[in-house]
Coordinates of all heavy atoms in Angstrom, one line a residue:
M1 N -71.4 -44.1 -57.2 CA -70.0 -43.8 -57.2 C -69.3 -44.2 -55.9 O -68.2 -44.8 -55.9 CB -69.7 -42.3 -57.6 CG -68.3 -41.9 -57.6 SD -67.5 -42.5 -59.0 CE -66.0 -41.6 -59.0
N2 N -70.0 -43.9 -54.8 CA -69.4 -44.2 -53.5 C -69.3 -45.7 -53.3 O -68.4 -46.2 -52.7 CB -70.2 -43.6 -52.4 CG -69.9 -42.1 -52.2 OD1 -68.8 -41.6 -52.7 ND2 -70.8 -41.3 -51.7
D3 N -70.3 -46.5 -53.8 CA -70.3 -47.9 -53.7 C -69.1 -48.5 -54.4 O -68.4 -49.4 -53.9 CB -71.6 -48.5 -54.2 CG -72.8 -48.2 -53.3 OD1 -72.6 -47.9 -52.1 OD2 -73.9 -48.2 -53.8
M4 N -68.8 -47.9 -55.6 CA -67.7 -48.4 -56.4 C -66.4 -48.1 -55.6 O -65.5 -49.0 -55.6 CB -67.7 -47.8 -57.7 CG -66.6 -48.4 -58.7 SD -66.7 -47.7 -60.3 CE -66.1 -46.1 -60.1
L5 N -66.2 -46.9 -55.1 CA -65.0 -46.6 -54.3 C -64.9 -47.5 -53.1 O -63.8 -48.0 -52.8 CB -65.1 -45.1 -53.9 CG -64.8 -44.1 -54.9 CD1 -64.9 -42.7 -54.3 CD2 -63.4 -44.2 -55.4
D6 N -65.9 -47.8 -52.4 CA -65.9 -48.6 -51.2 C -65.5 -50.0 -51.5 O -64.7 -50.7 -50.8 CB -67.2 -48.6 -50.5 CG -67.4 -47.2 -49.8 OD1 -66.5 -46.5 -49.5 OD2 -68.6 -46.9 -49.5
S7 N -66.0 -50.5 -52.6 CA -65.7 -51.9 -53.0 C -64.3 -52.1 -53.5 O -63.7 -53.2 -53.4 CB -66.7 -52.5 -54.0 OG -66.6 -51.7 -55.2
A8 N -63.7 -51.1 -54.1 CA -62.3 -51.2 -54.7 C -61.3 -50.8 -53.6 O -60.1 -51.0 -53.9 CB -62.2 -50.3 -55.9
A9 N -61.7 -50.2 -52.5 CA -60.7 -49.6 -51.5 C -59.6 -50.7 -51.1 O -58.5 -50.3 -51.1 CB -61.4 -49.0 -50.3
P10 N -60.0 -51.9 -50.7 CA -59.0 -52.8 -50.3 C -57.9 -53.1 -51.3 O -56.7 -53.2 -51.0 CB -59.7 -54.1 -49.9 CG -61.1 -53.6 -49.7 CD -61.3 -52.5 -50.6
L11 N -58.3 -53.3 -52.6 CA -57.4 -53.6 -53.6 C -56.5 -52.4 -54.0 O -55.3 -52.6 -54.2 CB -58.1 -54.1 -54.9 CG -58.9 -55.4 -54.7 CD1 -59.7 -55.7 -56.0 CD2 -57.9 -56.5 -54.4
I12 N -57.1 -51.3 -54.0 CA -56.4 -50.1 -54.4 C -55.4 -49.7 -53.3 O -54.3 -49.3 -53.5 CB -57.3 -48.9 -54.7 CG1 -58.0 -49.2 -56.1 CG2 -56.6 -47.6 -54.8 CD1 -58.9 -48.2 -56.6
G13 N -55.8 -49.9 -52.0 CA -54.9 -49.7 -50.9 C -53.6 -50.5 -50.9 O -52.6 -50.1 -50.5
L14 N -53.7 -51.7 -51.5 CA -52.6 -52.6 -51.6 C -51.5 -52.0 -52.6 O -50.3 -52.4 -52.5 CB -53.0 -54.0 -52.0 CG -53.7 -54.8 -51.0 CD1 -54.1 -56.1 -51.5 CD2 -52.8 -55.0 -49.8
L15 N -51.9 -51.1 -53.4 CA -50.9 -50.5 -54.4 C -49.8 -49.8 -53.6 O -48.7 -49.6 -54.2 CB -51.6 -49.6 -55.4 CG -52.5 -50.3 -56.4 CD1 -53.2 -49.2 -57.2 CD2 -51.7 -51.2 -57.3
G16 N -50.1 -49.4 -52.4 CA -49.1 -48.7 -51.6 C -47.9 -49.5 -51.4 O -46.8 -49.0 -51.1
L17 N -48.0 -50.8 -51.5 CA -46.8 -51.7 -51.3 C -45.8 -51.5 -52.3 O -44.6 -51.8 -52.1 CB -47.3 -53.2 -51.2 CG -48.2 -53.5 -50.1 CD1 -48.7 -55.0 -50.2 CD2 -47.5 -53.3 -48.8
I18 N -46.2 -50.9 -53.5 CA -45.2 -50.6 -54.5 C -44.2 -49.6 -54.0 O -43.0 -49.6 -54.4 CB -45.9 -50.1 -55.8 CG1 -46.8 -51.2 -56.4 CG2 -45.0 -49.6 -56.8 CD1 -47.7 -50.7 -57.5
G19 N -44.6 -48.8 -53.1 CA -43.7 -47.8 -52.5 C -42.5 -48.3 -51.9 O -41.4 -47.7 -51.8
F20 N -42.6 -49.6 -51.4 CA -41.4 -50.2 -50.8 C -40.3 -50.5 -51.8 O -39.2 -50.7 -51.4 CB -41.8 -51.5 -50.1 CG -42.6 -51.2 -48.8 CD1 -43.9 -51.7 -48.6 CD2 -42.0 -50.5 -47.7 CE1 -44.6 -51.4 -47.5 CE2 -42.7 -50.3 -46.6 CZ -44.0 -50.7 -46.4
A21 N -40.7 -50.4 -53.1 CA -39.6 -50.6 -54.1 C -38.6 -49.4 -54.0 O -37.5 -49.6 -54.4 CB -40.3 -50.7 -55.5
G22 N -39.1 -48.3 -53.5 CA -38.2 -47.2 -53.4 C -37.0 -47.4 -52.5 O -36.0 -46.8 -52.5
L23 N -37.2 -48.4 -51.5 CA -36.1 -48.7 -50.6 C -35.0 -49.4 -51.3 O -33.9 -49.4 -50.8 CB -36.7 -49.7 -49.5 CG -37.7 -49.0 -48.6 CD1 -38.3 -50.1 -47.6 CD2 -37.2 -47.8 -47.9
A24 N -35.2 -49.9 -52.5 CA -34.1 -50.5 -53.3 C -33.1 -49.4 -53.7 O -31.9 -49.7 -53.9 CB -34.7 -51.2 -54.6
G25 N -33.5 -48.2 -53.7 CA -32.6 -47.1 -54.0 C -31.6 -46.8 -52.9 O -30.6 -46.2 -53.1
L26 N -31.9 -47.3 -51.7 CA -31.0 -47.2 -50.6 C -29.8 -48.2 -50.8 O -28.7 -47.8 -50.4 CB -31.7 -47.4 -49.3 CG -32.8 -46.4 -48.9 CD1 -33.5 -46.8 -47.6 CD2 -32.2 -45.0 -48.8
R27 N -30.2 -49.3 -51.2 CA -29.1 -50.4 -51.4 C -28.3 -50.2 -52.6 O -27.1 -50.3 -52.6 CB -29.8 -51.7 -51.4 CG -28.7 -52.8 -51.4 CD -29.3 -54.2 -51.0 NE -28.3 -55.1 -50.8 CZ -28.0 -56.1 -51.7 NH1 -28.7 -56.2 -52.8 NH2 -27.0 -56.9 -51.5
N28 N -29.0 -49.9 -53.7 CA -28.4 -49.6 -55.0 C -28.5 -48.1 -55.3 O -29.4 -47.7 -56.1 CB -29.1 -50.4 -56.1 CG -29.1 -51.9 -55.8 OD1 -28.1 -52.4 -55.4 ND2 -30.2 -52.5 -56.0
R29 N -27.6 -47.4 -54.8 CA -27.7 -45.9 -54.9 C -27.5 -45.5 -56.3 O -26.7 -46.0 -57.1 CB -26.6 -45.3 -54.0 CG -26.7 -45.8 -52.6 CD -26.6 -44.9 -51.5 NE -26.8 -43.5 -51.7 CZ -27.8 -42.8 -51.1 NH1 -28.7 -43.4 -50.5 NH2 -27.8 -41.5 -51.2
P30 N -28.3 -44.5 -56.8 CA -28.2 -44.0 -58.1 C -26.9 -43.1 -58.2 O -26.5 -42.6 -57.2 CB -29.5 -43.2 -58.4 CG -30.0 -42.9 -57.0 CD -29.5 -44.0 -56.1
D31 N -26.5 -43.0 -59.4 CA -25.3 -42.2 -59.7 C -25.6 -40.7 -59.4 O -26.6 -40.2 -59.9 CB -24.9 -42.3 -61.1 CG -23.6 -41.5 -61.5 OD1 -22.9 -41.1 -60.6 OD2 -23.4 -41.3 -62.7
P32 N -24.9 -40.0 -58.5 CA -25.2 -38.7 -58.1 C -25.2 -37.7 -59.3 O -25.8 -36.6 -59.2 CB -24.1 -38.3 -57.1 CG -23.5 -39.6 -56.6 CD -23.8 -40.6 -57.7
A33 N -24.5 -38.0 -60.4 CA -24.4 -37.2 -61.5 C -25.6 -37.2 -62.4 O -25.8 -36.3 -63.2 CB -23.2 -37.5 -62.4
R34 N -26.5 -38.2 -62.1 CA -27.7 -38.3 -62.9 C -28.7 -37.2 -62.5 O -28.8 -36.9 -61.3 CB -28.4 -39.7 -62.7 CG -27.6 -40.8 -63.4 CD -28.3 -42.1 -63.3 NE -29.4 -42.2 -64.2 CZ -29.3 -42.7 -65.4 NH1 -28.1 -42.9 -65.9 NH2 -30.4 -42.8 -66.2
P35 N -29.4 -36.6 -63.5 CA -30.4 -35.6 -63.1 C -31.6 -36.2 -62.4 O -31.9 -37.4 -62.5 CB -30.8 -35.0 -64.4 CG -30.5 -36.1 -65.4 CD -29.3 -36.8 -64.9
G36 N -32.3 -35.4 -61.6 CA -33.5 -35.8 -61.0 C -33.4 -36.1 -59.5 O -34.2 -36.8 -58.9
A37 N -32.4 -35.4 -58.9 CA -32.3 -35.6 -57.4 C -33.5 -35.2 -56.6 O -33.9 -35.8 -55.7 CB -31.0 -34.9 -56.9
G38 N -34.2 -34.2 -57.1 CA -35.4 -33.7 -56.4 C -36.5 -34.7 -56.5 O -37.2 -34.9 -55.5
V39 N -36.7 -35.4 -57.6 CA -37.7 -36.4 -57.7 C -37.3 -37.6 -56.9 O -38.2 -38.2 -56.3 CB -37.9 -36.8 -59.2 CG1 -38.8 -37.9 -59.4 CG2 -38.4 -35.6 -60.0
R40 N -36.1 -37.9 -56.8 CA -35.7 -39.0 -56.0 C -36.0 -38.8 -54.5 O -36.3 -39.7 -53.7 CB -34.2 -39.3 -56.1 CG -33.9 -40.0 -57.4 CD -32.5 -40.6 -57.5 NE -31.5 -39.6 -57.5 CZ -31.0 -39.1 -58.7 NH1 -31.5 -39.4 -59.8 NH2 -30.0 -38.2 -58.6
L41 N -36.1 -37.5 -54.1 CA -36.5 -37.3 -52.7 C -38.0 -37.6 -52.5 O -38.4 -37.7 -51.4 CB -36.3 -35.8 -52.4 CG -34.8 -35.4 -52.2 CD1 -34.7 -33.9 -52.0 CD2 -34.2 -36.1 -51.0
M42 N -38.7 -37.7 -53.6 CA -40.1 -38.1 -53.5 C -40.3 -39.5 -52.9 O -41.4 -39.9 -52.5 CB -40.9 -38.0 -54.8 CG -41.1 -36.6 -55.2 SD -42.1 -36.5 -56.7 CE -43.7 -37.1 -56.1
G43 N -39.2 -40.3 -52.9 CA -39.3 -41.6 -52.2 C -39.7 -41.5 -50.8 O -40.3 -42.4 -50.3
L44 N -39.5 -40.3 -50.2 CA -40.0 -40.1 -48.8 C -41.5 -40.1 -48.7 O -42.1 -40.4 -47.7 CB -39.4 -38.8 -48.2 CG -37.9 -38.8 -48.1 CD1 -37.5 -37.4 -47.7 CD2 -37.4 -39.8 -47.1
F45 N -42.2 -39.8 -49.8 CA -43.6 -39.8 -49.9 C -44.2 -41.2 -49.7 O -45.4 -41.4 -49.5 CB -44.2 -39.2 -51.1 CG -44.1 -37.7 -51.1 CD1 -43.4 -37.0 -52.1 CD2 -44.8 -37.0 -50.1 CE1 -43.4 -35.6 -52.1 CE2 -44.7 -35.6 -50.1 CZ -44.0 -34.9 -51.1
G46 N -43.3 -42.2 -49.8 CA -43.8 -43.6 -49.6 C -44.3 -43.8 -48.2 O -45.2 -44.7 -48.0
L47 N -43.9 -43.0 -47.3 CA -44.4 -43.1 -45.9 C -45.9 -42.6 -45.8 O -46.5 -43.0 -44.9 CB -43.5 -42.2 -45.0 CG -42.1 -42.6 -44.9 CD1 -41.3 -41.6 -44.0 CD2 -42.0 -44.0 -44.3
T48 N -46.3 -41.9 -46.8 CA -47.8 -41.5 -46.8 C -48.7 -42.7 -47.0 O -49.9 -42.6 -46.7 CB -48.1 -40.4 -47.9 OG1 -47.8 -41.0 -49.2 CG2 -47.3 -39.2 -47.6
G49 N -48.1 -43.8 -47.3 CA -48.9 -45.0 -47.4 C -49.5 -45.4 -46.1 O -50.5 -46.2 -46.0
L50 N -48.9 -44.9 -45.0 CA -49.4 -45.2 -43.7 C -50.8 -44.6 -43.4 O -51.5 -45.0 -42.6 CB -48.4 -44.8 -42.6 CG -47.1 -45.5 -42.6 CD1 -46.1 -44.9 -41.6 CD2 -47.3 -47.0 -42.3
V51 N -51.2 -43.6 -44.3 CA -52.5 -43.1 -44.2 C -53.6 -44.1 -44.4 O -54.7 -44.1 -43.9 CB -52.7 -41.9 -45.2 CG1 -54.1 -41.4 -45.3 CG2 -51.7 -40.8 -44.9
G52 N -53.2 -45.2 -45.2 CA -54.1 -46.2 -45.5 C -54.6 -47.0 -44.2 O -55.6 -47.7 -44.3
L53 N -53.9 -46.9 -43.1 CA -54.3 -47.5 -41.9 C -55.6 -46.9 -41.4 O -56.3 -47.5 -40.7 CB -53.2 -47.4 -40.8 CG -51.9 -48.2 -41.2 CD1 -50.9 -47.9 -40.1 CD2 -52.2 -49.7 -41.3
W54 N -55.8 -45.6 -41.7 CA -56.9 -44.9 -41.2 C -58.0 -44.6 -42.3 O -59.1 -44.4 -42.0 CB -56.5 -43.5 -40.6 CG -55.6 -43.8 -39.4 CD1 -56.0 -44.0 -38.1 CD2 -54.2 -43.7 -39.3 NE1 -54.9 -44.2 -37.3 CE2 -53.8 -44.0 -38.0 CE3 -53.2 -43.5 -40.3 CZ2 -52.5 -44.1 -37.6 CZ3 -51.9 -43.5 -39.9 CH2 -51.5 -43.8 -38.6
V55 N -57.5 -44.4 -43.5 CA -58.4 -44.1 -44.6 C -58.3 -45.2 -45.6 O -57.3 -45.3 -46.3 CB -58.0 -42.7 -45.2 CG1 -59.0 -42.4 -46.3 CG2 -57.9 -41.6 -44.2
P56 N -59.4 -46.1 -45.7 CA -59.3 -47.1 -46.7 C -59.1 -46.6 -48.1 O -59.8 -45.7 -48.6 CB -60.7 -47.8 -46.5 CG -61.2 -47.4 -45.2 CD -60.6 -46.0 -44.9
G57 N -58.2 -47.2 -48.8 CA -57.9 -46.9 -50.2 C -56.8 -45.8 -50.3 O -56.1 -45.8 -51.3
A58 N -56.7 -45.0 -49.3 CA -55.7 -43.9 -49.5 C -54.3 -44.4 -49.3 O -53.3 -43.7 -49.7 CB -55.9 -42.8 -48.4
G59 N -54.1 -45.6 -48.9 CA -52.8 -46.2 -48.8 C -52.1 -46.3 -50.1 O -50.8 -46.4 -50.2
A60 N -52.8 -46.2 -51.2 CA -52.2 -46.3 -52.6 C -51.3 -45.1 -52.8 O -50.4 -45.1 -53.6 CB -53.3 -46.3 -53.6
I61 N -51.5 -44.0 -52.0 CA -50.6 -42.8 -52.2 C -49.2 -43.2 -51.8 O -48.2 -42.6 -52.3 CB -51.1 -41.7 -51.3 CG1 -52.5 -41.2 -51.8 CG2 -50.1 -40.5 -51.3 CD1 -53.2 -40.3 -50.9
G62 N -49.0 -44.2 -51.0 CA -47.7 -44.7 -50.7 C -46.9 -45.2 -51.9 O -45.6 -45.3 -51.8
A63 N -47.6 -45.5 -52.9 CA -46.9 -46.0 -54.1 C -45.9 -44.9 -54.7 O -45.0 -45.2 -55.4 CB -47.9 -46.4 -55.2
S64 N -46.2 -43.7 -54.3 CA -45.3 -42.6 -54.8 C -43.9 -42.8 -54.3 O -43.0 -42.2 -54.8 CB -45.9 -41.2 -54.4 OG -45.9 -41.2 -53.0
G65 N -43.6 -43.6 -53.3 CA -42.3 -43.9 -52.9 C -41.4 -44.5 -53.9 O -40.2 -44.3 -53.9
A66 N -42.1 -45.2 -54.8 CA -41.3 -45.9 -55.9 C -40.8 -44.8 -56.9 O -39.9 -45.1 -57.7 CB -42.2 -46.9 -56.6
L67 N -41.4 -43.6 -56.9 CA -40.9 -42.6 -57.9 C -39.5 -42.2 -57.6 O -38.8 -41.6 -58.5 CB -41.8 -41.3 -57.7 CG -43.2 -41.5 -58.3 CD1 -44.0 -40.2 -58.0 CD2 -43.2 -41.7 -59.8
G68 N -38.9 -42.5 -56.5 CA -37.5 -42.2 -56.2 C -36.6 -43.0 -57.1 O -35.4 -42.7 -57.2
L69 N -37.1 -44.0 -57.8 CA -36.3 -44.8 -58.7 C -36.4 -44.5 -60.2 O -35.9 -45.1 -61.0 CB -36.6 -46.3 -58.5 CG -36.4 -46.9 -57.2 CD1 -37.0 -48.3 -57.1 CD2 -34.9 -46.9 -56.8
W70 N -37.2 -43.5 -60.5 CA -37.6 -43.2 -61.8 C -36.4 -43.0 -62.8 O -36.5 -43.3 -64.0 CB -38.5 -42.0 -61.9 CG -37.8 -40.7 -61.8 CD1 -37.4 -40.1 -60.7 CD2 -37.3 -39.9 -62.9 NE1 -36.7 -38.9 -60.9 CE2 -36.7 -38.8 -62.3 CE3 -37.4 -39.9 -64.2 CZ2 -36.1 -37.8 -63.1 CZ3 -36.8 -38.9 -65.0 CH2 -36.2 -37.9 -64.4
N71 N -35.3 -42.5 -62.4 CA -34.2 -42.2 -63.3 C -33.0 -43.0 -62.8 O -31.9 -42.5 -62.9 CB -33.9 -40.7 -63.3 CG -33.0 -40.3 -64.4 OD1 -32.9 -41.0 -65.4 ND2 -32.4 -39.2 -64.3
H72 N -33.1 -44.2 -62.3 CA -32.0 -45.0 -61.8 C -31.3 -45.5 -63.0 O -31.9 -45.8 -64.1 CB -32.6 -46.1 -61.0 CG -31.6 -46.7 -60.1 ND1 -30.7 -47.6 -60.5 CD2 -31.3 -46.5 -58.7 CE1 -29.9 -48.0 -59.5 NE2 -30.3 -47.3 -58.4
Q73 N -30.0 -45.7 -62.9 CA -29.2 -46.2 -64.0 C -29.5 -47.7 -64.3 O -29.3 -48.2 -65.4 CB -27.7 -46.0 -63.8 CG -27.1 -46.7 -62.6 CD -27.1 -45.9 -61.4 OE1 -27.8 -44.9 -61.3 NE2 -26.3 -46.4 -60.4
D74 N -30.0 -48.4 -63.3 CA -30.4 -49.8 -63.5 C -31.8 -49.8 -64.1 O -32.7 -49.4 -63.4 CB -30.3 -50.6 -62.2 CG -30.7 -52.1 -62.4 OD1 -31.1 -52.5 -63.5 OD2 -30.5 -52.8 -61.4
R75 N -32.0 -50.3 -65.3 CA -33.3 -50.2 -66.0 C -34.4 -50.9 -65.3 O -35.5 -50.6 -65.3 CB -33.2 -50.6 -67.5 CG -32.2 -49.8 -68.3 CD -32.4 -48.3 -68.3 NE -33.8 -47.8 -68.5 CZ -34.2 -46.7 -68.1 NH1 -33.4 -45.8 -67.5 NH2 -35.5 -46.3 -68.3
R76 N -34.0 -52.0 -64.6 CA -35.0 -52.8 -63.9 C -35.6 -52.0 -62.7 O -36.8 -51.9 -62.5 CB -34.5 -54.1 -63.4 CG -34.1 -55.1 -64.4 CD -33.5 -56.4 -63.8 NE -32.3 -56.0 -63.2 CZ -31.8 -56.5 -62.0 NH1 -32.6 -57.4 -61.4 NH2 -30.7 -56.2 -61.5
L77 N -34.7 -51.3 -62.0 CA -35.2 -50.4 -60.9 C -36.0 -49.2 -61.5 O -36.9 -48.8 -60.8 CB -34.0 -50.0 -60.1 CG -33.4 -51.1 -59.2 CD1 -32.2 -50.5 -58.5 CD2 -34.3 -51.7 -58.3
A78 N -35.5 -48.7 -62.6 CA -36.2 -47.6 -63.2 C -37.7 -47.9 -63.6 O -38.6 -47.1 -63.5 CB -35.5 -47.0 -64.4
R79 N -37.9 -49.2 -64.0 CA -39.3 -49.6 -64.3 C -40.1 -49.6 -63.1 O -41.3 -49.3 -63.1 CB -39.3 -51.0 -65.0 CG -39.1 -50.9 -66.5 CD -39.3 -52.2 -67.1 NE -37.8 -52.6 -67.4 CZ -37.3 -53.8 -67.3 NH1 -38.1 -54.8 -67.1 NH2 -36.1 -54.0 -67.6
W80 N -39.6 -49.9 -61.9 CA -40.3 -49.9 -60.7 C -40.7 -48.4 -60.4 O -41.8 -48.2 -59.8 CB -39.5 -50.4 -59.5 CG -39.6 -51.9 -59.4 CD1 -38.7 -52.8 -59.7 CD2 -40.7 -52.6 -58.9 NE1 -39.1 -54.1 -59.5 CE2 -40.4 -54.0 -58.9 CE3 -42.0 -52.3 -58.4 CZ2 -41.2 -55.0 -58.5 CZ3 -42.8 -53.3 -57.9 CH2 -42.5 -54.6 -58.0
G81 N -39.9 -47.5 -60.8 CA -40.2 -46.1 -60.6 C -41.4 -45.6 -61.3 O -42.2 -44.8 -60.8
T82 N -41.7 -46.2 -62.5 CA -42.9 -45.8 -63.2 C -44.1 -46.3 -62.6 O -45.2 -45.8 -62.7 CB -42.8 -46.2 -64.7 OG1 -42.6 -47.6 -64.7 CG2 -41.7 -45.5 -65.4
A83 N -44.0 -47.4 -61.8 CA -45.1 -48.0 -61.1 C -45.6 -47.1 -60.0 O -46.8 -47.1 -59.6 CB -44.8 -49.4 -60.5
G84 N -44.7 -46.1 -59.6 CA -45.1 -45.2 -58.6 C -46.2 -44.2 -59.0 O -46.9 -43.6 -58.2
L85 N -46.4 -44.1 -60.3 CA -47.5 -43.3 -60.8 C -48.9 -43.7 -60.4 O -49.9 -43.0 -60.5 CB -47.4 -43.1 -62.3 CG -46.1 -42.4 -62.8 CD1 -46.0 -42.5 -64.3 CD2 -46.1 -41.0 -62.4
S86 N -49.0 -45.0 -60.0 CA -50.3 -45.5 -59.6 C -50.7 -44.9 -58.3 O -51.9 -45.1 -57.8 CB -50.2 -47.0 -59.4 OG -49.3 -47.4 -58.4
A87 N -49.9 -44.0 -57.7 CA -50.3 -43.3 -56.4 C -51.5 -42.4 -56.6 O -52.3 -42.2 -55.7 CB -49.1 -42.5 -55.9
V88 N -51.8 -42.0 -57.8 CA -52.9 -41.1 -58.1 C -54.2 -41.8 -57.8 O -55.3 -41.2 -57.6 CB -52.9 -40.5 -59.5 CG1 -51.7 -39.6 -59.7 CG2 -53.0 -41.5 -60.6
L89 N -54.2 -43.1 -57.8 CA -55.5 -43.9 -57.6 C -55.9 -43.7 -56.1 O -57.1 -43.9 -55.8 CB -55.3 -45.4 -57.9 CG -55.0 -45.7 -59.4 CD1 -54.7 -47.2 -59.5 CD2 -56.2 -45.3 -60.2
G90 N -55.1 -43.4 -55.2 CA -55.4 -43.2 -53.8 C -56.0 -41.8 -53.5 O -56.6 -41.5 -52.5
L91 N -55.8 -40.8 -54.4 CA -56.2 -39.5 -54.2 C -57.7 -39.3 -54.0 O -58.2 -38.6 -53.1 CB -55.7 -38.6 -55.3 CG -54.3 -38.3 -55.3 CD1 -53.9 -37.5 -56.5 CD2 -53.8 -37.7 -54.1
P92 N -58.6 -40.0 -54.8 CA -60.1 -39.8 -54.5 C -60.5 -40.2 -53.1 O -61.3 -39.6 -52.5 CB -60.7 -40.7 -55.5 CG -59.7 -40.9 -56.6 CD -58.4 -40.8 -55.9
Y93 N -59.8 -41.2 -52.5 CA -60.1 -41.7 -51.2 C -59.7 -40.6 -50.2 O -60.4 -40.3 -49.2 CB -59.5 -43.0 -50.9 CG -59.9 -44.1 -51.8 CD1 -59.2 -44.5 -52.9 CD2 -61.1 -44.8 -51.5 CE1 -59.7 -45.5 -53.7 CE2 -61.6 -45.8 -52.3 CZ -60.9 -46.1 -53.4 OH -61.3 -47.1 -54.3
L94 N -58.5 -40.0 -50.4 CA -58.1 -39.0 -49.5 C -58.9 -37.7 -49.5 O -59.3 -37.2 -48.5 CB -56.6 -38.7 -49.8 CG -55.9 -37.8 -48.7 CD1 -55.9 -38.6 -47.4 CD2 -54.5 -37.5 -49.2
V95 N -59.3 -37.4 -50.7 CA -60.2 -36.2 -50.9 C -61.5 -36.4 -50.3 O -62.1 -35.6 -49.6 CB -60.3 -35.8 -52.4 CG1 -61.4 -34.8 -52.6 CG2 -59.0 -35.3 -52.9
R96 N -62.1 -37.6 -50.5 CA -63.4 -37.9 -49.9 C -63.4 -37.9 -48.4 O -64.3 -37.4 -47.7 CB -63.9 -39.3 -50.4 CG -65.3 -39.6 -50.0 CD -65.8 -40.9 -50.6 NE -65.2 -42.0 -49.8 CZ -65.6 -43.3 -50.0 NH1 -66.5 -43.6 -50.8 NH2 -65.0 -44.2 -49.3
W97 N -62.3 -38.4 -47.8 CA -62.1 -38.4 -46.4 C -62.0 -37.0 -45.9 O -62.5 -36.6 -44.8 CB -60.9 -39.2 -46.0 CG -60.6 -39.2 -44.6 CD1 -61.2 -39.8 -43.6 CD2 -59.5 -38.5 -44.0 NE1 -60.6 -39.5 -42.4 CE2 -59.5 -38.7 -42.6 CE3 -58.5 -37.6 -44.5 CZ2 -58.6 -38.1 -41.7 CZ3 -57.6 -37.1 -43.6 CH2 -57.7 -37.3 -42.2
A98 N -61.2 -36.1 -46.6 CA -60.9 -34.8 -46.1 C -62.2 -33.9 -46.2 O -62.4 -33.0 -45.4 CB -59.8 -34.1 -47.0
M99 N -63.1 -34.2 -47.2 CA -64.3 -33.5 -47.3 C -65.3 -33.9 -46.3 O -66.3 -33.1 -46.1 CB -64.9 -33.7 -48.7 CG -64.0 -33.2 -49.8 SD -63.9 -31.4 -49.8 CE -64.2 -31.1 -51.4
G100 N -65.1 -35.0 -45.6 CA -66.0 -35.4 -44.6 C -67.0 -36.3 -45.1 O -68.0 -36.7 -45.0

C-alpha cells in the first residue's frame, strides 16, 4: 500500500493546482444573494496546497480552493467548483505524514 501511495504522490499532488480555479471567484464575484457564502469561504483552504511542498501528495488538499465556486451563477465556474472534491485524494498522504 505504501509503494502505491509513493508512486502516485507526484500526480496526486498536482491536483492541488485545481484550487487556483477558486481565484476566478475574485474576478467574477458570485451574486451575494445566492446561498452558500460559508462554502465559498472554503476557497481559502486552497492555500493548504502549500503543504505539498513538504508532504508529497498532500498538495492535492489545495484543490479544495475550487469549492469556493460550487454555487456560482456562471455554470462554467460552478463546474470547476465540483472539481474541488478531488481534495480528498490528498488526505491519506497527510494522515500518513501526521502518524509518522
Side-chain angles (χ1 to χ4, degrees):
M1 177 74 169
N2 284 337
D3 292 337
M4 187 174 74
L5 282 176
D6 290 336
S7 64
L11 294 174
I12 290 180
L14 286 176
L15 289 175
L17 296 175
I18 295 169
F20 287 117
L23 297 176
L26 296 175
R27 185 165 189 255
N28 304 315
R29 307 227 12 118
D31 182 16
R34 291 184 76 85
V39 174
R40 284 193 290 273
L41 287 175
M42 287 187 66
L44 296 174
F45 283 121
L47 296 174
T48 59
L50 295 175
V51 172
L53 295 174
W54 297 279
V55 183
I61 295 172
S64 62
L67 289 174
L69 298 172
W70 78 276
N71 195 19
H72 201 279
Q73 64 266 16
D74 183 353
R75 297 311 308 160
R76 291 178 297 141
L77 291 176
R79 271 185 260 148
W80 276 104
T82 57
L85 296 173
S86 63
V88 298
L89 295 174
L91 290 176
Y93 296 97
L94 191 61
V95 169
R96 186 174 78 167
W97 174 76
M99 298 290 231

